[in-house]
């Protein structure tokens, strides 16, 4: 174990919805340059935990420290601080082009307001040009360079998942949260995603990934935490966790595996928020 | 699918039909000039016969394309048969409506002269033949040849002038019968151009020449007052421009951010009342003014902005239907409030239902808009002066819309519309950006309102209702945006023109107007939910499969090219 303070430290994070405790006192740390897996049966509270980290939910109890500072429960501030995420059910801006999606990801790294947009001054134009260049570079990085001008909704399913990663990376995060990035993918696409996550780490971005595909987790992760019914069951090296009988039991003894089927359709965005 | 008829017969039908349709407008269709537009003469077309002639000409061009006349095939890159069908329907609807109206108006079919019978038969032959031809739609039209920049600019100008000519026809026709024939003829005419693939080509052309488009649009709009001798139609055009300006402002809120605002007309009213109060009118409760236009405009925008922020701050935390209901309520609160600020029910400010009358004319850079000015040998009356001012206002609004919509701010707006949760996760502060859009929209409506008060010489509560039989009102404004095409510049302009002209030209129909308006909305939402002028995004949203397939093909082709 290294002695540098972790990039992310969640301690005692608890999220209650009325009588239901979806996340119950979870501690988790992610260090720089680490890929950490978060596994557990459906309904275990993994996505809710992500929502607590990114400010979409305000945790009932507990604290989240990022780079030594408390993360405010405001999504915009979290993104600016350097945490980006993808969604379990793809949430792209369906009627914007792939390039525009990524440029929106740069929102917190750009400044232009209404007046500078109207004036179109040199500073504004430079910022726009840079955004465009960075976005193109990211599209190339995830392998979508040739589809920059297609609308997100007309991309293939796998491409949509990769576009979500590119959009998240556009905010220049130090930590990327991936929520089931290979759900609904075929083995080849899964292998490509594995490669992509590795090269994300090579860019100096730490990754916390929720995933059901055990092979993916075992190949990729430095450490794995297991969440069962809102509580952290165990945490350790992938081999140890896989051998842990309690983990196997939790998965096998979870008849509610079908409870939250991963939507396959790329067009599952909600119309009304 | 079309039944397989022997094509030579269909071709013969089309050629005969087209030829006779071309001839028929030059004959007399009726014997008396009691029918509006003088359709009694041999030798040249008059009145609604022009519509038949235009439809027949369009059909003749596409007939030539179908027959493979060299050079003309290029006029229908996406296929000529469907274009021919639409053109034949343009001629058919215009002719039959006119012939039918002659029979109805003059009391019987005996009033239709042989020329009219010939026309009715000819367009029927034409349409029957066109619909019997096998479809020749090309899914991937060949890319258009690039022209020199100057030629492209000239082409754009010609198209805009033609569009302005069509619009002017609609504005200046003074018989309901003629307008009734005009609407479907224009609709099918545009559809013919779209089916031929020409609108897509023109779209590509305009995308390459933004500045030429702006110049050509402004120039062709400027032509209108030069063609007018009296004030009658310029006044109509002025009202359309006010309506269109407000619709464009609403398009920011509805089209870009996706917020359903049902009380938008209140901001127009705020601007109008503000301007009226500082206009120096004797009915104003303040003994100030008249102010120069720029000061009035800034004040009107400022007060509307404040109103927008005050109303937006508590309501924009609501979503969807809740927001719609609350804005509807605020819109009515505005009207009821100005109705009551009369000194009896409340403090004296707006003179209640009587409003603020005798608002004097604006003075812009020393020009009194109420007096005649002679420019290039043409005399501009009061309404022509306001027309020019309103063009400038619209130019400002379009500029703001285009620049803001294409910026970081505009992308944030669209992202919020597309998926608020994802946008929030990308660091966009939803409430802040919605409030910005709401405030911007309100101040643009306020700007239009300041001109409106002076144009109409008053500010009265009755002009700012939620729904009414004539624009502007909140329901019509929203309809102009949605019918025209959300998120586009030309959509609300087209929508506003149609929604102003239709009730104005069919005034005798007023008791059924709301019913027809509702019916039209339902039909539109069923058959063309993306509006008359769809933007790329919305077209895809509603006609997913076809367009997505086409897009995929297009990019695949581009990738290999
Ligand atoms: N906004 C919410 N309101 C009420 N219950 C919720 C909410 N979000 C999640 N839950 C509940 O929390 C539990 C954990 O859900 P989730 O985090 O999606 O699980 P996972 O991602 O591990 O499959 C589920 O029982 C779910 O129904
Ligand atoms: Mg989940």
């Amino acid at each position: 174990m290294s002695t540098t303070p972790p990039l992310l430290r969640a301690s005692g994070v608890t999220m209650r919805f009325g009588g239901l405790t979806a996340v119950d006192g979870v501690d988790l740390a992610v260090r720089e340059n680490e890929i950490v897996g978060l596994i557990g049966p459906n309904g275990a509270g993994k996505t809710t935990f992500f929502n607590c980290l990114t400010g979409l939910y305000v945790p009932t109890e507990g604290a989240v420290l990022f780079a030594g500072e408390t993360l405010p429960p405001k999504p915009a501030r979290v993104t600016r601080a350097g945490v980006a995420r993808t969604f379990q059910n793809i949430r792209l801006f369906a009627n914007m082009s792939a390039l525009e999606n990524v440029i929106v990801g740069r929102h917190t790294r750009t400044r232009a307001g209404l007046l500078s947009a109207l004036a179109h001054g040199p500073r504004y134009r430079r910022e726009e040009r840079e955004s465009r260049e960075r976005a193109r570079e990211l599209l190339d990085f995830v392998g979508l360079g040739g589809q920059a001008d297609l609308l997100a909704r007309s991309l293939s399913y796998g491409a949509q998942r990769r576009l979500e990663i590119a959009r998240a990376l556009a905010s220049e995060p130090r930590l990327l949260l991936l929520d089931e990035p290979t759900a609904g993918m075929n083995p080849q696409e899964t292998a490509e995603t594995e490669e992509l996550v590795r090269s994300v780490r090579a860019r100096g971005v730490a990754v916390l990934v929720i995933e059901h595909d055990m092979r993916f987790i075992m190949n990729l992760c430095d450490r794995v935490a297991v969440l069962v019914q809102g509580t952290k069951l165990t945490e350790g090296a992938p081999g140890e966790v896989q051998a842990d009988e309690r983990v196997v039991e939790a998965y096998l003894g979870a008849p509610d595996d079908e409870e939250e089927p991963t939507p396959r359709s790329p067009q599952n965005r909600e119309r009304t928020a | 699918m079309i039944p397989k008829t022997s094509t030579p017969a269909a071709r013969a039908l089309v050629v005969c039909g087209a030829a006779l349709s071309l001839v028929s407008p030059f004959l007399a269709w009726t014997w008396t000039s009691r029918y509006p537009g003088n359709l009694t003469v041999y030798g040249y077309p008059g009145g609604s016969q022009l519509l038949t002639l235009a439809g027949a000409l369009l059909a003749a061009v596409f007939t030539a394309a179908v027959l493979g006349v060299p050079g003309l095939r290029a006029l229908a890159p996406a296929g000529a048969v469907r274009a021919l069908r639409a053109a034949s329907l343009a001629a058919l609807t215009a002719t039959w409506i006119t012939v039918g109206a002659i029979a109805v108006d003059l009391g019987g079919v005996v009033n239709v002269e042989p020329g009219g019978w010939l026309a009715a038969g000819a367009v029927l032959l034409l349409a029957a033949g066109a619909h019997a031809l096998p479809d020749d739609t090309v899914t991937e039209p060949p890319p258009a040849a690039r022209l020199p920049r100057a030629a492209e600019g000239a082409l754009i100008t010609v198209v805009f002038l033609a569009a302005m000519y069509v619009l002017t026809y609609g504005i200046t026709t003074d018989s309901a019968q003629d307008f009734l024939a005009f609407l479907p003829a224009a609709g099918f005419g545009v559809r013919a151009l779209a089916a031929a693939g020409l609108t897509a080509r023109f779209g590509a052309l305009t995308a390459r020449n933004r500045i030429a488009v702006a110049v050509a649009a402004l120039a062709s709009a400027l032509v209108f007052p030069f063609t007018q001798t009296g004030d009658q139609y310029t006044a109509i055009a002025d009202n359309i421009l006010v309506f269109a300006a407000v619709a464009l402002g609403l398009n920011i809120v509805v089209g870009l951010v996706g917020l359903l605002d049902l009380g938008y007309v209140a901001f127009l009213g705020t601007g109008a009342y503000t301007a009226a109060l500082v206009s120096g009118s004797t009915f104003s409760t303040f003994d100030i003014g008249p102010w120069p236009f720029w000061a009035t405009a800034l004040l009107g925008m400022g007060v509307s902005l404040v109103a927008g922020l005050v109303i937006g701050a508590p309501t924009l935390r609501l979503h969807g239907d809740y927001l719609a209901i609350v804005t509807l309520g605020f819109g009515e609160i505005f009207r009821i409030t100005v109705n009551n600020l009369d000194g009896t029910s409340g403090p004296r400010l707006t003179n209640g239902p009587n409003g603020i009358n005798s608002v004097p004319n604006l003075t812009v850079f020393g020009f009194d808009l109420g007096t005649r000015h002679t420019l290039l040998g043409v005399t501009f009356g009061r309404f022509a002066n306001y027309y020019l001012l309103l063009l400038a206002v619209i130019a400002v609004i379009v500029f703001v819309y285009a620049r803001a919509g294409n910026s970081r701010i505009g992308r944030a707006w669209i992202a919020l519309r597309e998926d608020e949760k994802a946008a929030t996760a990308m660091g966009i502060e939803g409430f802040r950006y919605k409030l910005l859009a709401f405030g911007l929209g309100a101040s643009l409506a306020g700007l239009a309102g300041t001109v409106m008060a002076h144009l109409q010489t008053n500010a009265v509560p009755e002009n700012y209702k939620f729904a009414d039989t004539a624009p502007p009102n909140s329901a019509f404004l929203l309809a102009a945006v949605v019918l025209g095409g959300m998120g586009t510049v030309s959509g609300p302009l087209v929508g506003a023109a149609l929604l102003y002209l239709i009730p104005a030209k069919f005034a005798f129909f007023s008791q059924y107007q709301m019913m027809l308006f509702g019916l039209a909305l339902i039909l539109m939402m069923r058959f063309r939910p993306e509006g008359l002028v769809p933007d790329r995004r919305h077209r895809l949203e509603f006609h997913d499969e076809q367009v997505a397939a086409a897009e995929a093909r297009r990019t695949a082709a581009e990738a290999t090219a």
Side-chain angles (χ1 to χ4, degrees), chain B residues 225-297:
Chain B
F226 288 95
T227 63
Q228 297 301 307
T229 44
D231 267 349
Q232 188 188 357
Y233 301 120
T234 323
I236 294 180
D238 286 358
N239 289 329
I240 292 178
L241 287 184
V242 171
F243 184 27
V246 194
L248 278 169
L250 179 61
N251 197 20
I252 295 178
V253 179
V254 175
L256 292 182
V257 202
L259 304 171
L260 197 50
D261 184 349
L262 293 181
Y264 192 65
V265 85
F267 302 122
L268 179 70
T270 308
Y273 268 97
T274 308
L277 284 171
V278 300
S279 66
S281 156
T282 46
F283 292 90
S284 165
T285 33
F286 297 121
D287 192 16
I288 46 175
W291 288 11
F293 174 61
W294 63 265
T296 311

Side-chain angles (χ1 to χ4, degrees), chain A residues 47 88 179-180 260:
Chain A
T47 299
Q88 178 176 349
D179 197 344
E180 304 199 14
E260 191 189 32

Side-chain angles (χ1 to χ4, degrees), chain A residues 41-48 88-89 179-180 210 212 260:
Chain A
N42 277 325
K46 307 181 294 294
T47 299
T48 306
Q88 178 176 349
N89 45 349
D179 197 344
E180 304 199 14
I210 297 176
H212 285 304
E260 191 189 32

Side-chain angles (χ1 to χ4, degrees), chain A residues 79 95 112 118 128 151 269, chain B residues 403 408 411 418 537 540:
Chain A
T79 311
N95 294 307
L118 293 184
E128 282 284 294
L151 294 197
R269 71 198 185 86
Chain B
R403 283 244 162 129
R408 170 173 177 266
R411 286 188 297 265
E418 290 291 310
R537 304 179 200 287
L540 258 158

Side-chain angles (χ1 to χ4, degrees), chain B residues 354-380:
Chain B
N354 296 328
I356 301 166
N357 294 299
S358 301
V359 176
N361 283 299
L362 276 170
T363 305
V364 183
F365 299 124
F367 284 100
D368 179 354
L369 294 192
T371 59
R372 298 180 163 269
H373 298 280
T374 305
L375 201 73
L376 304 175
V378 180
T379 309
F380 283 80

